[in-house]
């Protein structure tokens, strides 16, 4: 690949090549060939959920040669500056929020006492294995507990619960039992289900109280636009850090969750 790109005339090279952060920790060798010929090479953190984004300095970033980044916010910028030790010429463009998708559909009218929650859909085990995703925190038990604990407390407090899934369900990839669970609680009237294809930002603008499955971006965006937002870890196993929470609080027990909801 390196010699192929080296052989191309400059008119056949792109002005910019963008790489997604959850797939690349190191620049591929061919990128040096196009970078030497004035193309820009950029690493894009389009969200906060990249599994390469850890909290310890020896996780590989120390030796990274990326120097140009599109990032979600200044927490990511600080993390990269602290961990990339062999490059003092780092360039950043900060987005704060990215409009990934939207459809022409209105957000449901929310009631006065309402709570908006964002899940993270667990994948089918064979799909996780096929693409070598880690079978760890985003599993059916944790995501089910996340929903069950919030819905139980909110219903007791007469608070209407609205659920926005991270994306539309696809039975090829997403866990069937979770898809069935959502259908069951939606049909029972315990939640109002919002079309996953509606922009998360458009939805957040309509609600005041937000809980997200850790560590996804809606609670961060909500905090940045002045909403009350929190992460809830039903397992009680996660350790908060700025590079993961981006300044959003983390609840790690049902008693903490209950107190937060009461204080709304």
């Amino acid at each position: 690949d390196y010699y192929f790109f080296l052989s191309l005339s400059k008119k056949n090279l792109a002005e910019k090549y963008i790489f997604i952060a959850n797939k690349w920790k190191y620049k591929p060798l061919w990128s040096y060939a196009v970078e030497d010929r004035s193309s820009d090479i950029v690493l894009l953190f389009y969200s906060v959920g990249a599994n390469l984004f850890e909290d310890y300095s020896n996780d590989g970033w120390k030796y990274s040669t990326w120097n140009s980044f599109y990032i979600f916010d200044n927490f990511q910028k600080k993390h990269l500056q602290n961990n990339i030790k062999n490059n003092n010429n780092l360039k950043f463009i900060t987005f704060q929020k990215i409009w990934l998708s939207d459809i022409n559909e209105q957000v449901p009218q929310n009631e006065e006492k309402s709570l908006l929650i964002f899940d993270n859909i667990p994948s089918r085990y064979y799909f996780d294995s096929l693409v070598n995703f880690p079978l760890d925190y985003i599993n059916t038990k944790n995501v089910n507990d996340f929903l069950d604990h919030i819905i139980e407390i909110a219903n007791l407090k007469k608070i209407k619960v609205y659920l926005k899934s991270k994306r539309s369900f696809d039975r090829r990839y997403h866990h069937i039992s979770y898809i069935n669970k959502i259908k069951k609680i939606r049909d029972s009237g315990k939640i109002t289900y919002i079309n996953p294809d509606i922009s998360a930002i458009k939805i957040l603008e309509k609600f005041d109280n937000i809980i997200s499955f850790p560590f996804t971006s809606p609670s961060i965006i909500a905090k940045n636009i002045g909403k009350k937002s929190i992460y809830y870890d039903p397992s009680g196993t996660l350790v908060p850090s700025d590079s993961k929470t981006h300044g959003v609080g983390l609840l790690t027990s049902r008693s903490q969750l209950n107190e937060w909801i009461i204080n709304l």
Side-chain angles (χ1 to χ4, degrees), residues 80-182:
L80 291 165
Q81 286 175 326
N82 288 341
N83 286 314
I84 297 179
K85 303 298 184 183
N86 64 338
N87 193 333
N88 295 320
N89 188 30
L90 303 179
K91 296 177 290 184
F92 299 94
I93 294 179
T94 304
F95 289 112
Q96 296 295 344
K97 57 185 179 182
I98 302 175
W99 296 73
L100 291 177
S101 62
D102 195 13
I103 59 173
N104 186 22
E105 183 175 323
Q106 293 299 312
V107 179
Q109 184 67 36
N110 61 312
E111 299 183 11
E112 183 178 354
K113 294 177 65 176
S114 60
L115 181 62
L116 174 63
I117 60 178
F118 289 82
D119 65 5
N120 199 347
I121 309 169
S123 301
R124 299 180 71 170
Y125 295 138
Y126 88 89
F127 179 69
D128 278 338
S129 302
L130 185 67
V131 297
N132 199 29
F133 283 169
L135 296 171
D136 49 12
Y137 186 76
I138 307 172
N139 56 55
T140 52
K141 181 181 185 331
N142 284 343
V143 184
N144 284 342
D145 286 347
F146 171 82
L147 290 181
D148 290 340
H149 297 176
I150 296 172
I151 292 170
E152 178 185 349
I153 295 172
N155 286 345
L156 285 173
K157 308 300 178 187
K158 307 299 182 185
I159 296 173
K160 183 73 174 179
V161 177
Y162 294 77
L163 171 63
K164 161 74 163 68
S165 287
K166 187 169 185 179
R167 55 181 56 89
S168 295
F169 294 135
D170 190 323
R171 289 179 174 270
R172 294 172 296 173
Y173 311 125
H174 296 144
H175 208 288
I176 299 300
S177 68
Y178 185 72
I179 296 175
N180 292 335
K181 178 185 180 66
I182 295 300

Side-chain angles (χ1 to χ4, degrees), residues 205-221:
E205 290 172 344
K206 302 290 186 180
F207 289 83
D208 295 321
N209 309 302
I210 291 89
I211 304 179
S212 300
F213 189 85
F215 291 104
T216 52
S217 59
S219 279
I220 299 170
I221 298 171

